[in-house]
Amino acid sequence: MKHIFVEENGVYSIDCSNAVWATDNIHDDYHSAGIHINDVDFLIENETHILMVEYKNACIEGAQNPNAFHPLEEKKILVAARKFYDSLHYLRLLDKNKPIQYIYILEYPNGDKTTRKRLRGRLKVELPFALQDRIGNGNKLIDQVDVLSIDEWNGDSIYGNYPFRRNNIIKRRDE
């Protein structure tokens, strides 16, 4: 298993060496199957959970119009929620049935803990928390949602086992 995944801009990588299982192939697998749905960037399995990780960074060099990125816009929230739902299929096809935590790692100009907390609250409304409380036999589609900065992710006692690190070599967009 490849243990270190580089995000699409080539600026950061996530080290999943401590994972039970992990992948960044979900997008490629969907695309090669001719399926055009949304997906999270990384899936990480530890002893107790599956971590669905969505990563957005408008603070990197070369980010196109970073001040135009507003993660609290309704459309952005709905797309982030949709990535959770569309990625469930992938996990089910692989018989990955552990409880799921959805983590949105977010860096953008003027982003702060308060804004990330507000976004977490908005995502919680769009994700199936209320639905799973109302129907079913106690099965859950999601256990937890969180919105964190890279530093918060790296500093967490669980998520920090899969650290995000800045790369020394930056991938060019045309590669």
Side-chain angles (χ1 to χ4, degrees):
M1 174 175 87
K2 182 177 132 187
H3 299 291
I4 298 175
F5 306 122
V6 178
E7 54 85 20
E8 66 187 354
N9 296 302
V11 177
Y12 282 88
S13 58
I14 183 170
D15 184 347
C16 295
S17 299
N18 293 320
V20 171
W21 170 85
T23 188
D24 67 344
N25 287 336
I26 187 169
H27 178 79
D28 292 340
D29 288 342
Y30 279 177
H31 184 74
S32 67
I35 300 170
H36 303 288
I37 58 179
N38 296 301
D39 55 82
V40 296
D41 294 307
F42 309 105
L43 295 170
I44 304 167
E45 180 180 3
N46 65 24
E47 292 76 21
T48 60
H49 286 84
I50 300 289
L51 309 179
M52 281 189 182
V53 181
E54 176 62 12
Y55 167 84
K56 291 283 181 234
N57 193 336
C59 291
I60 60 171
E61 306 87 34
Q64 293 180 353
N65 202 5
N67 291 319
F69 179 67
H70 302 288
L72 288 169
E73 286 179 354
E74 189 68 15
K75 183 179 178 182
K76 299 283 187 204
I77 292 167
L78 294 176
V79 168
R82 180 68 189 237
K83 288 181 179 220
F84 166 83
Y85 289 107
D86 287 356
S87 297
L88 281 175
H89 309 297
Y90 195 85
L91 292 172
R92 295 305 174 242
L93 289 171
L94 293 174
D95 287 327
K96 301 289 184 183
N97 295 312
K98 290 180 179 175
I100 296 172
Q101 295 178 347
Y102 182 41
I103 303 96
Y104 189 175
I105 298 172
L106 180 61
E107 297 282 346
Y108 70 102
N110 303 314
D112 60 13
K113 195 171 208 147
T114 301
T115 305
R116 288 189 295 275
K117 189 173 182 178
R118 285 181 46 217
L119 179 55
R120 179 188 170 276
R122 284 289 296 118
L123 282 172
K124 193 167 186 179
V125 170
E126 297 299 331
L127 295 170
F129 290 101
L131 179 66
Q132 68 193 17
D133 288 343
R134 289 189 180 113
I135 65 171
N137 59 1
N139 291 335
K140 290 184 173 188
L141 294 173
I142 188 168
D143 234 21
Q144 178 180 329
V145 61
D146 217 339
V147 180
L148 304 171
S149 68
I150 291 172
D151 287 342
E152 289 167 334
W153 168 276
N154 286 340
D156 186 87
S157 62
I158 294 171
Y159 309 143
N161 289 312
Y162 320 103
F164 267 88
R165 295 190 179 109
R166 189 166 179 79
N167 294 330
N168 293 329
I169 300 171
I170 307 301
K171 179 175 85 172
R172 292 192 331 253
R173 286 203 181 268
D174 60 347
E175 289 184 289

PDB file of all heavy atoms in Angstrom, residues 85-106:
ATOM      1  N   TYR A  85     -21.853  11.867   0.880  1.00  0.00           N
ATOM      2  CA  TYR A  85     -22.843  10.907   0.393  1.00  0.00           C
ATOM      3  C   TYR A  85     -22.309  10.086  -0.780  1.00  0.00           C
ATOM      4  O   TYR A  85     -22.474   8.862  -0.823  1.00  0.00           O
ATOM      5  CB  TYR A  85     -24.131  11.614  -0.013  1.00  0.00           C
ATOM      6  CG  TYR A  85     -24.917  12.153   1.146  1.00  0.00           C
ATOM      7  CD1 TYR A  85     -24.968  13.523   1.401  1.00  0.00           C
ATOM      8  CD2 TYR A  85     -25.616  11.303   1.998  1.00  0.00           C
ATOM      9  CE1 TYR A  85     -25.702  14.024   2.459  1.00  0.00           C
ATOM     10  CE2 TYR A  85     -26.347  11.791   3.070  1.00  0.00           C
ATOM     11  CZ  TYR A  85     -26.377  13.157   3.298  1.00  0.00           C
ATOM     12  OH  TYR A  85     -27.095  13.649   4.367  1.00  0.00           O
ATOM     13  N   ASP A  86     -21.678  10.742  -1.733  1.00  0.00           N
ATOM     14  CA  ASP A  86     -21.187  10.043  -2.918  1.00  0.00           C
ATOM     15  C   ASP A  86     -20.022   9.108  -2.607  1.00  0.00           C
ATOM     16  O   ASP A  86     -19.800   8.138  -3.328  1.00  0.00           O
ATOM     17  CB  ASP A  86     -20.779  11.045  -4.000  1.00  0.00           C
ATOM     18  CG  ASP A  86     -21.976  11.711  -4.669  1.00  0.00           C
ATOM     19  OD1 ASP A  86     -23.132  11.336  -4.352  1.00  0.00           O
ATOM     20  OD2 ASP A  86     -21.757  12.599  -5.505  1.00  0.00           O
ATOM     21  N   SER A  87     -19.301   9.374  -1.551  1.00  0.00           N
ATOM     22  CA  SER A  87     -18.172   8.511  -1.180  1.00  0.00           C
ATOM     23  C   SER A  87     -18.616   7.271  -0.403  1.00  0.00           C
ATOM     24  O   SER A  87     -17.859   6.303  -0.297  1.00  0.00           O
ATOM     25  CB  SER A  87     -17.154   9.307  -0.362  1.00  0.00           C
ATOM     26  OG  SER A  87     -16.624  10.358  -1.150  1.00  0.00           O
ATOM     27  N   LEU A  88     -19.822   7.291   0.139  1.00  0.00           N
ATOM     28  CA  LEU A  88     -20.329   6.114   0.857  1.00  0.00           C
ATOM     29  C   LEU A  88     -20.367   4.878  -0.032  1.00  0.00           C
ATOM     30  O   LEU A  88     -20.082   3.762   0.417  1.00  0.00           O
ATOM     31  CB  LEU A  88     -21.735   6.372   1.393  1.00  0.00           C
ATOM     32  CG  LEU A  88     -21.862   7.193   2.659  1.00  0.00           C
ATOM     33  CD1 LEU A  88     -23.336   7.437   2.969  1.00  0.00           C
ATOM     34  CD2 LEU A  88     -21.170   6.527   3.826  1.00  0.00           C
ATOM     35  N   HIS A  89     -20.700   5.052  -1.304  1.00  0.00           N
ATOM     36  CA  HIS A  89     -20.778   3.920  -2.232  1.00  0.00           C
ATOM     37  C   HIS A  89     -19.446   3.186  -2.306  1.00  0.00           C
ATOM     38  O   HIS A  89     -19.399   1.956  -2.315  1.00  0.00           O
ATOM     39  CB  HIS A  89     -21.172   4.387  -3.637  1.00  0.00           C
ATOM     40  CG  HIS A  89     -22.378   5.245  -3.680  1.00  0.00           C
ATOM     41  ND1 HIS A  89     -23.625   4.806  -3.296  1.00  0.00           N
ATOM     42  CD2 HIS A  89     -22.527   6.539  -4.037  1.00  0.00           C
ATOM     43  CE1 HIS A  89     -24.489   5.781  -3.439  1.00  0.00           C
ATOM     44  NE2 HIS A  89     -23.857   6.847  -3.873  1.00  0.00           N
ATOM     45  N   TYR A  90     -18.406   3.947  -2.393  1.00  0.00           N
ATOM     46  CA  TYR A  90     -17.049   3.388  -2.504  1.00  0.00           C
ATOM     47  C   TYR A  90     -16.735   2.509  -1.297  1.00  0.00           C
ATOM     48  O   TYR A  90     -16.271   1.379  -1.442  1.00  0.00           O
ATOM     49  CB  TYR A  90     -16.058   4.550  -2.608  1.00  0.00           C
ATOM     50  CG  TYR A  90     -14.685   4.178  -3.076  1.00  0.00           C
ATOM     51  CD1 TYR A  90     -14.402   4.091  -4.434  1.00  0.00           C
ATOM     52  CD2 TYR A  90     -13.647   3.936  -2.175  1.00  0.00           C
ATOM     53  CE1 TYR A  90     -13.132   3.776  -4.885  1.00  0.00           C
ATOM     54  CE2 TYR A  90     -12.375   3.623  -2.616  1.00  0.00           C
ATOM     55  CZ  TYR A  90     -12.123   3.545  -3.976  1.00  0.00           C
ATOM     56  OH  TYR A  90     -10.852   3.233  -4.419  1.00  0.00           O
ATOM     57  N   LEU A  91     -17.018   3.031  -0.116  1.00  0.00           N
ATOM     58  CA  LEU A  91     -16.747   2.264   1.105  1.00  0.00           C
ATOM     59  C   LEU A  91     -17.590   0.994   1.168  1.00  0.00           C
ATOM     60  O   LEU A  91     -17.096  -0.067   1.574  1.00  0.00           O
ATOM     61  CB  LEU A  91     -17.009   3.127   2.337  1.00  0.00           C
ATOM     62  CG  LEU A  91     -16.035   4.281   2.543  1.00  0.00           C
ATOM     63  CD1 LEU A  91     -16.512   5.178   3.681  1.00  0.00           C
ATOM     64  CD2 LEU A  91     -14.632   3.757   2.811  1.00  0.00           C
ATOM     65  N   ARG A  92     -18.844   1.092   0.787  1.00  0.00           N
ATOM     66  CA  ARG A  92     -19.719  -0.080   0.841  1.00  0.00           C
ATOM     67  C   ARG A  92     -19.258  -1.149  -0.149  1.00  0.00           C
ATOM     68  O   ARG A  92     -19.309  -2.335   0.156  1.00  0.00           O
ATOM     69  CB  ARG A  92     -21.179   0.309   0.584  1.00  0.00           C
ATOM     70  CG  ARG A  92     -21.754   1.206   1.653  1.00  0.00           C
ATOM     71  CD  ARG A  92     -21.615   0.598   3.069  1.00  0.00           C
ATOM     72  NE  ARG A  92     -22.052   1.534   4.076  1.00  0.00           N
ATOM     73  CZ  ARG A  92     -21.268   2.021   5.037  1.00  0.00           C
ATOM     74  NH1 ARG A  92     -20.016   1.684   5.133  1.00  0.00           N
ATOM     75  NH2 ARG A  92     -21.745   2.854   5.926  1.00  0.00           N
ATOM     76  N   LEU A  93     -18.817  -0.748  -1.329  1.00  0.00           N
ATOM     77  CA  LEU A  93     -18.332  -1.725  -2.305  1.00  0.00           C
ATOM     78  C   LEU A  93     -17.061  -2.431  -1.832  1.00  0.00           C
ATOM     79  O   LEU A  93     -16.776  -3.546  -2.255  1.00  0.00           O
ATOM     80  CB  LEU A  93     -18.091  -1.049  -3.658  1.00  0.00           C
ATOM     81  CG  LEU A  93     -19.368  -0.645  -4.392  1.00  0.00           C
ATOM     82  CD1 LEU A  93     -19.036   0.212  -5.601  1.00  0.00           C
ATOM     83  CD2 LEU A  93     -20.169  -1.870  -4.799  1.00  0.00           C
ATOM     84  N   LEU A  94     -16.311  -1.786  -0.946  1.00  0.00           N
ATOM     85  CA  LEU A  94     -15.097  -2.392  -0.388  1.00  0.00           C
ATOM     86  C   LEU A  94     -15.358  -3.090   0.954  1.00  0.00           C
ATOM     87  O   LEU A  94     -14.411  -3.525   1.611  1.00  0.00           O
ATOM     88  CB  LEU A  94     -14.015  -1.318  -0.203  1.00  0.00           C
ATOM     89  CG  LEU A  94     -13.470  -0.709  -1.484  1.00  0.00           C
ATOM     90  CD1 LEU A  94     -12.526   0.441  -1.164  1.00  0.00           C
ATOM     91  CD2 LEU A  94     -12.762  -1.763  -2.326  1.00  0.00           C
ATOM     92  N   ASP A  95     -16.628  -3.180   1.353  1.00  0.00           N
ATOM     93  CA  ASP A  95     -16.997  -3.781   2.647  1.00  0.00           C
ATOM     94  C   ASP A  95     -16.329  -3.083   3.824  1.00  0.00           C
ATOM     95  O   ASP A  95     -15.962  -3.723   4.814  1.00  0.00           O
ATOM     96  CB  ASP A  95     -16.690  -5.282   2.691  1.00  0.00           C
ATOM     97  CG  ASP A  95     -17.653  -6.092   1.853  1.00  0.00           C
ATOM     98  OD1 ASP A  95     -18.838  -5.689   1.765  1.00  0.00           O
ATOM     99  OD2 ASP A  95     -17.231  -7.111   1.277  1.00  0.00           O
ATOM    100  N   LYS A  96     -16.190  -1.782   3.723  1.00  0.00           N
ATOM    101  CA  LYS A  96     -15.654  -0.976   4.821  1.00  0.00           C
ATOM    102  C   LYS A  96     -16.842  -0.475   5.632  1.00  0.00           C
ATOM    103  O   LYS A  96     -17.526   0.456   5.231  1.00  0.00           O
ATOM    104  CB  LYS A  96     -14.811   0.191   4.306  1.00  0.00           C
ATOM    105  CG  LYS A  96     -13.617  -0.212   3.464  1.00  0.00           C
ATOM    106  CD  LYS A  96     -12.561  -0.853   4.326  1.00  0.00           C
ATOM    107  CE  LYS A  96     -11.319  -1.187   3.524  1.00  0.00           C
ATOM    108  NZ  LYS A  96     -10.333  -1.872   4.344  1.00  0.00           N
ATOM    109  N   ASN A  97     -17.119  -1.121   6.739  1.00  0.00           N
ATOM    110  CA  ASN A  97     -18.343  -0.862   7.493  1.00  0.00           C
ATOM    111  C   ASN A  97     -18.114  -0.259   8.866  1.00  0.00           C
ATOM    112  O   ASN A  97     -19.022  -0.243   9.685  1.00  0.00           O
ATOM    113  CB  ASN A  97     -19.144  -2.169   7.629  1.00  0.00           C
ATOM    114  CG  ASN A  97     -19.614  -2.658   6.274  1.00  0.00           C
ATOM    115  OD1 ASN A  97     -20.149  -1.898   5.496  1.00  0.00           O
ATOM    116  ND2 ASN A  97     -19.369  -3.922   5.988  1.00  0.00           N
ATOM    117  N   LYS A  98     -16.941   0.233   9.133  1.00  0.00           N
ATOM    118  CA  LYS A  98     -16.688   0.871  10.424  1.00  0.00           C
ATOM    119  C   LYS A  98     -17.411   2.213  10.483  1.00  0.00           C
ATOM    120  O   LYS A  98     -17.742   2.793   9.444  1.00  0.00           O
ATOM    121  CB  LYS A  98     -15.185   1.085  10.625  1.00  0.00           C
ATOM    122  CG  LYS A  98     -14.413  -0.200  10.841  1.00  0.00           C
ATOM    123  CD  LYS A  98     -12.927   0.085  11.024  1.00  0.00           C
ATOM    124  CE  LYS A  98     -12.147  -1.204  11.260  1.00  0.00           C
ATOM    125  NZ  LYS A  98     -10.701  -0.956  11.324  1.00  0.00           N
ATOM    126  N   PRO A  99     -17.633   2.726  11.680  1.00  0.00           N
ATOM    127  CA  PRO A  99     -18.236   4.071  11.800  1.00  0.00           C
ATOM    128  C   PRO A  99     -17.401   5.108  11.048  1.00  0.00           C
ATOM    129  O   PRO A  99     -16.171   5.000  10.988  1.00  0.00           O
ATOM    130  CB  PRO A  99     -18.208   4.334  13.307  1.00  0.00           C
ATOM    131  CG  PRO A  99     -18.132   2.989  13.936  1.00  0.00           C
ATOM    132  CD  PRO A  99     -17.360   2.126  12.976  1.00  0.00           C
ATOM    133  N   ILE A 100     -18.088   6.093  10.493  1.00  0.00           N
ATOM    134  CA  ILE A 100     -17.432   7.091   9.637  1.00  0.00           C
ATOM    135  C   ILE A 100     -17.359   8.438  10.338  1.00  0.00           C
ATOM    136  O   ILE A 100     -18.336   8.913  10.905  1.00  0.00           O
ATOM    137  CB  ILE A 100     -18.183   7.238   8.306  1.00  0.00           C
ATOM    138  CG1 ILE A 100     -18.125   5.923   7.532  1.00  0.00           C
ATOM    139  CG2 ILE A 100     -17.606   8.378   7.475  1.00  0.00           C
ATOM    140  CD1 ILE A 100     -19.000   5.892   6.299  1.00  0.00           C
ATOM    141  N   GLN A 101     -16.192   9.041  10.245  1.00  0.00           N
ATOM    142  CA  GLN A 101     -15.990  10.425  10.659  1.00  0.00           C
ATOM    143  C   GLN A 101     -15.630  11.205   9.401  1.00  0.00           C
ATOM    144  O   GLN A 101     -14.748  10.809   8.647  1.00  0.00           O
ATOM    145  CB  GLN A 101     -14.859  10.536  11.685  1.00  0.00           C
ATOM    146  CG  GLN A 101     -15.164   9.839  12.982  1.00  0.00           C
ATOM    147  CD  GLN A 101     -14.024   9.917  13.970  1.00  0.00           C
ATOM    148  OE1 GLN A 101     -12.901  10.287  13.652  1.00  0.00           O
ATOM    149  NE2 GLN A 101     -14.312   9.553  15.209  1.00  0.00           N
ATOM    150  N   TYR A 102     -16.352  12.305   9.175  1.00  0.00           N
ATOM    151  CA  TYR A 102     -16.099  13.155   8.015  1.00  0.00           C
ATOM    152  C   TYR A 102     -15.351  14.383   8.500  1.00  0.00           C
ATOM    153  O   TYR A 102     -15.858  15.139   9.331  1.00  0.00           O
ATOM    154  CB  TYR A 102     -17.417  13.535   7.353  1.00  0.00           C
ATOM    155  CG  TYR A 102     -17.297  14.390   6.105  1.00  0.00           C
ATOM    156  CD1 TYR A 102     -16.312  14.166   5.146  1.00  0.00           C
ATOM    157  CD2 TYR A 102     -18.183  15.422   5.870  1.00  0.00           C
ATOM    158  CE1 TYR A 102     -16.229  14.933   4.006  1.00  0.00           C
ATOM    159  CE2 TYR A 102     -18.124  16.196   4.721  1.00  0.00           C
ATOM    160  CZ  TYR A 102     -17.131  15.946   3.797  1.00  0.00           C
ATOM    161  OH  TYR A 102     -17.041  16.715   2.654  1.00  0.00           O
ATOM    162  N   ILE A 103     -14.146  14.579   7.983  1.00  0.00           N
ATOM    163  CA  ILE A 103     -13.319  15.705   8.399  1.00  0.00           C
ATOM    164  C   ILE A 103     -13.008  16.560   7.171  1.00  0.00           C
ATOM    165  O   ILE A 103     -12.510  16.068   6.159  1.00  0.00           O
ATOM    166  CB  ILE A 103     -12.005  15.254   9.071  1.00  0.00           C
ATOM    167  CG1 ILE A 103     -12.299  14.351  10.272  1.00  0.00           C
ATOM    168  CG2 ILE A 103     -11.215  16.469   9.547  1.00  0.00           C
ATOM    169  CD1 ILE A 103     -12.241  12.909   9.942  1.00  0.00           C
ATOM    170  N   TYR A 104     -13.320  17.827   7.291  1.00  0.00           N
ATOM    171  CA  TYR A 104     -13.054  18.801   6.243  1.00  0.00           C
ATOM    172  C   TYR A 104     -11.870  19.628   6.727  1.00  0.00           C
ATOM    173  O   TYR A 104     -11.992  20.398   7.672  1.00  0.00           O
ATOM    174  CB  TYR A 104     -14.300  19.648   6.058  1.00  0.00           C
ATOM    175  CG  TYR A 104     -14.348  20.600   4.885  1.00  0.00           C
ATOM    176  CD1 TYR A 104     -15.509  21.314   4.621  1.00  0.00           C
ATOM    177  CD2 TYR A 104     -13.262  20.810   4.027  1.00  0.00           C
ATOM    178  CE1 TYR A 104     -15.606  22.196   3.563  1.00  0.00           C
ATOM    179  CE2 TYR A 104     -13.346  21.680   2.969  1.00  0.00           C
ATOM    180  CZ  TYR A 104     -14.519  22.375   2.736  1.00  0.00           C
ATOM    181  OH  TYR A 104     -14.602  23.256   1.675  1.00  0.00           O
ATOM    182  N   ILE A 105     -10.730  19.459   6.081  1.00  0.00           N
ATOM    183  CA  ILE A 105      -9.538  20.240   6.412  1.00  0.00           C
ATOM    184  C   ILE A 105      -9.579  21.474   5.519  1.00  0.00           C
ATOM    185  O   ILE A 105      -9.593  21.365   4.297  1.00  0.00           O
ATOM    186  CB  ILE A 105      -8.251  19.424   6.192  1.00  0.00           C
ATOM    187  CG1 ILE A 105      -8.269  18.205   7.116  1.00  0.00           C
ATOM    188  CG2 ILE A 105      -7.025  20.291   6.428  1.00  0.00           C
ATOM    189  CD1 ILE A 105      -7.153  17.239   6.861  1.00  0.00           C
ATOM    190  N   LEU A 106      -9.597  22.628   6.157  1.00  0.00           N
ATOM    191  CA  LEU A 106      -9.875  23.859   5.440  1.00  0.00           C
ATOM    192  C   LEU A 106      -8.878  24.952   5.794  1.00  0.00           C
ATOM    193  O   LEU A 106      -8.695  25.291   6.959  1.00  0.00           O
ATOM    194  CB  LEU A 106     -11.297  24.324   5.795  1.00  0.00           C
ATOM    195  CG  LEU A 106     -11.804  25.598   5.155  1.00  0.00           C
ATOM    196  CD1 LEU A 106     -11.851  25.470   3.637  1.00  0.00           C
ATOM    197  CD2 LEU A 106     -13.183  25.936   5.707  1.00  0.00           C
TER     198      LEU A 106
END
